[in-house]
Amino acid sequence: MVSDTAPAPLLHDAPKAASEAKSEGDSEVPVAVAESEQPETPPKPGDLTELIVKGRTRDLVIRDLVAEGQAQLRDVQLQYVFTGKDRHEELRGRPVAFALWSEAQKNWTIAHLEIPRPPVKWKPGRGELPFTVRTPGIEARHAKGTGAERLMFTFSRDGEELKVYGRKFPVFDNTLIKKKRWREAAATARSIVYLPFTRDTLDPRLITGGRDFLLATARSAMDELRDARVPSEAFPGELLADVIPAEVIATLAVIEQTDDEDFLEKGKDAFDEVLSQYGLKREEAYRYSVSSAKALGPMQFTDRHGHGTYSFVVRSCRGAQLDPNFERGSTRLQNAMKAAVCLLDIDLSQMNSEIRAAYRAKPDVLGIFPVAAYNGGGRNVAKLSRALNRMGVQLAELRRAGQQPPGSTVVCPCVWREEGSLVQAVSIPRYNSENSGYIEKYQSILSLFD
């Protein structure tokens, strides 16, 4: 257990708010990640109206439309505009193209927009994101995000809402951007065709498919660790794959991509949006997710030029045979999940024997401790432990989250304790609002993976 006076072990970089982690305000996707894009070959375009008439389920229709939207964008050229002269020349903005489908006309339109050039300084809640529509007759409204993973708009034409099934986004070389070598940055930009979440792609089958895909990938990661017989650091004599449940790793893949604001506003519906992305895009989902702290990929690892969390885990968990390349390893889901298993085990090894014993008896419930550490390191484990002591909650009393009864005055984030025959919620005292919210998300989503 790390006390307030002892320095925390260098296992994690400085904790960051989940909303900050997903803002993508100032960070470019590493060019190496964009260059590794391996788009699926879209099927031959067919008569979409006929496919719908034949009774294809909506999730399959969505997949067809997304594949066709990708095909529409492949050969689209993004137009870069420069202003000023000589040494004062600058890139005016970042061009982005969208593939729009008209249900009324049964045809496609490519809409060209221009958003502020990088680095984008806009933050949610601080006014409107400035942008320019370059395609006549199209009306657009900024819906979310600024970066490669989340930038999205809604579109209409002549009163009809157009559905978004594709987006083409240029990724710039960070070094050239910092040096303001705008023409070189534009000339070497790598354009990725990737569709962020939109309501048009939300479907129950994709949500279920995303859940099943994450759990299957987590179990496959566990199988690799078990086959390699990687030992647990927290529980000597046991295998790492038998210490961390696959369900916990699957929850982290969702939690790391769920904004705090979305969760507070939408509750579990916010998880469905993330799960639908995994169901639709599978391995490609969230590989372009970059935080303002440069945390990368679905599990949001950082590296700091070889001295961050990811490299630490690669060195400390050699038997796992993790990919040593940060950009590649953190954006490939199964590898990133194996790294997350190793990190949780290392975090557990630094907790006191009481917490470790309680965790081993009920790893899903006591998962709040390694999850707290995953979010913010050992200091948050110590603070959570002290908060539970102030609440008078014993580790053995902790239970899975239940349902709040009507009229309950308990304010969450909370934990759930067994009192007699009842399981009741107890509010977590203030110690770190971002971390307690992270724990709340973990408890709320865990049952989805049972």
Side-chain angles (χ1 to χ4, degrees):
M1 178 63 68
V2 180
S3 68
D4 277 343
T5 56
L10 182 58
L11 296 187
H12 303 271
D13 299 317
K16 55 194 178 299
S19 56
E20 176 191 351
K22 312 304 179 294
S23 67
E24 303 180 276
D26 299 319
S27 297
E28 286 287 317
V29 171
V31 172
V33 175
E35 288 176 344
S36 68
E37 181 188 27
Q38 295 180 343
E40 296 180 3
T41 302
K44 277 179 114 177
D47 185 342
L48 295 175
T49 305
E50 182 181 356
L51 290 174
I52 296 171
V53 170
K54 284 183 178 179
R56 298 199 58 162
T57 56
R58 184 172 178 271
D59 61 311
L60 295 179
V61 174
I62 290 171
R63 290 183 187 278
D64 285 345
L65 287 165
V66 171
E68 175 62 11
Q70 289 179 327
Q72 293 281 333
L73 288 167
R74 290 296 174 199
D75 297 326
V76 169
Q77 297 296 313
L78 299 177
Q79 301 299 318
Y80 300 92
V81 179
F82 298 87
T83 61
K85 293 183 178 181
D86 300 325
R87 295 176 60 185
H88 299 289
E89 185 180 61
E90 291 186 343
L91 176 65
R92 188 178 66 187
R94 188 198 303 259
V96 188
F98 295 82
L100 312 179
W101 172 252
S102 167
E103 286 287 355
Q105 302 297 323
K106 304 298 181 188
N107 61 14
W108 291 93
T109 299
I110 302 300
H112 292 267
L113 271 63
E114 189 177 286
I115 65 173
R117 63 171 171 80
V120 175
K121 297 298 184 183
W122 178 84
K123 297 289 184 182
R126 301 182 186 176
E128 298 293 327
L129 174 71
F131 66 92
T132 303
V133 180
R134 317 304 302 179
T135 303
I138 295 293
E139 296 180 3
R141 183 174 63 85
H142 179 232
K144 194 173 185 178
T146 61
E149 181 61 55
R150 287 176 171 78
L151 175 74
M152 184 47 60
F153 288 78
T154 57
F155 296 87
S156 63
R157 180 177 55 202
D158 298 330
E160 180 194 2
E161 293 292 327
L162 302 175
K163 296 184 180 295
V164 185
Y165 287 118
R167 191 208 60 189
K168 192 166 193 174
F169 185 98
V171 173
F172 298 102
D173 185 314
N174 261 321
T175 302
L176 297 176
I177 292 297
K178 289 177 182 178
K179 293 179 179 179
K180 298 184 178 182
R181 291 157 59 179
W182 299 112
R183 282 200 176 268
E184 287 182 66
T188 58
R190 177 70 165 83
S191 294
I192 58 175
V193 177
Y194 180 84
L195 182 64
F197 171 78
T198 77
R199 299 297 300 179
D200 300 326
T201 61
L202 187 63
D203 182 84
R205 287 185 179 86
L206 293 177
I207 294 170
T208 302
R211 181 199 65 195
D212 294 345
F213 165 71
L214 283 178
L215 197 51
T217 306
R219 287 171 176 164
S220 181
M222 293 300 184
D223 288 343
E224 287 190 7
L225 292 170
R226 184 172 287 106
D227 291 343
R229 302 197 63 78
V230 182
S232 166
E233 188 170 326
F235 301 96
E238 297 190 47
L239 292 180
L240 178 55
D242 295 326
V243 168
I244 308 295
E247 292 78 7
V248 172
I249 299 302
T251 64
L252 285 176
V254 178
I255 294 170
E256 284 293 340
Q257 300 304 327
T258 304
D259 291 336
D260 284 350
E261 291 83 355
D262 282 351
F263 178 63
L264 290 173
E265 177 186 347
K266 305 172 185 176
K268 292 184 178 179
D269 288 346
F271 298 144
D272 287 346
E273 294 181 3
V274 175
L275 287 170
S276 71
Q277 285 289 86
Y278 282 111
L280 179 63
K281 294 197 285 285
R282 301 175 74 81
E283 290 87 354
E284 285 293 299
Y286 298 109
R287 71 189 306 266
Y288 301 115
S289 180
V290 185
S291 77
S292 56
K294 294 183 173 55
L296 183 61
M299 307 304 288
Q300 288 289 279
F301 276 101
T302 56
D303 193 53
R304 294 186 177 180
H305 307 292
H307 299 286
T309 303
Y310 185 80
S311 290
F312 172 82
V313 172
V314 170
R315 293 192 301 269
S316 302
C317 199
R318 296 187 184 278
Q321 300 177 349
L322 300 170
D323 190 328
N325 181 281
F326 170 61
E327 287 81 7
R328 191 172 56 229
S330 61
T331 56
R332 292 182 175 175
L333 180 61
Q334 187 162 314
N335 182 85
M337 281 184 163
K338 288 201 299 181
V341 174
C342 290
L343 180 56
L344 290 179
D345 181 62
I346 293 169
D347 286 331
L348 277 165
S349 72
Q350 299 187 347
M351 299 179 199
N352 66 35
S353 58
E354 182 184 6
I355 293 177
R356 283 188 285 113
Y359 168 86
R360 202 68 192 97
K362 291 184 293 187
D364 54 347
V365 177
L366 274 293
I368 60 175
F369 283 98
V371 162
Y374 190 91
N375 172 250
R379 289 191 183 279
N380 275 341
V381 173
K383 290 176 181 178
L384 174 60
S385 182
R386 287 196 299 272
L388 291 177
N389 288 335
R390 291 201 303 274
M391 297 155 64
V393 176
Q394 301 297 313
L395 297 181
E397 297 174 332
L398 290 170
R399 293 294 183 269
R400 295 279 288 264
Q403 292 292 328
Q404 289 272 39
S408 173
T409 59
V410 176
V411 178
C412 289
C414 53
V415 294
W416 295 77
R417 70 187 298 183
E418 185 175 38
E419 297 181 282
S421 60
L422 298 176
V423 176
Q424 298 180 327
V426 184
S427 295
I428 301 175
R430 282 186 171 273
Y431 74 91
N432 179 318
S433 59
E434 185 263 334
N435 191 252
S436 57
Y438 197 90
I439 293 169
E440 180 72 12
K441 287 190 288 186
Y442 168 75
Q443 295 180 119
S444 298
I445 194 177
L446 186 60
S447 62
L448 295 180
F449 291 97
D450 287 339

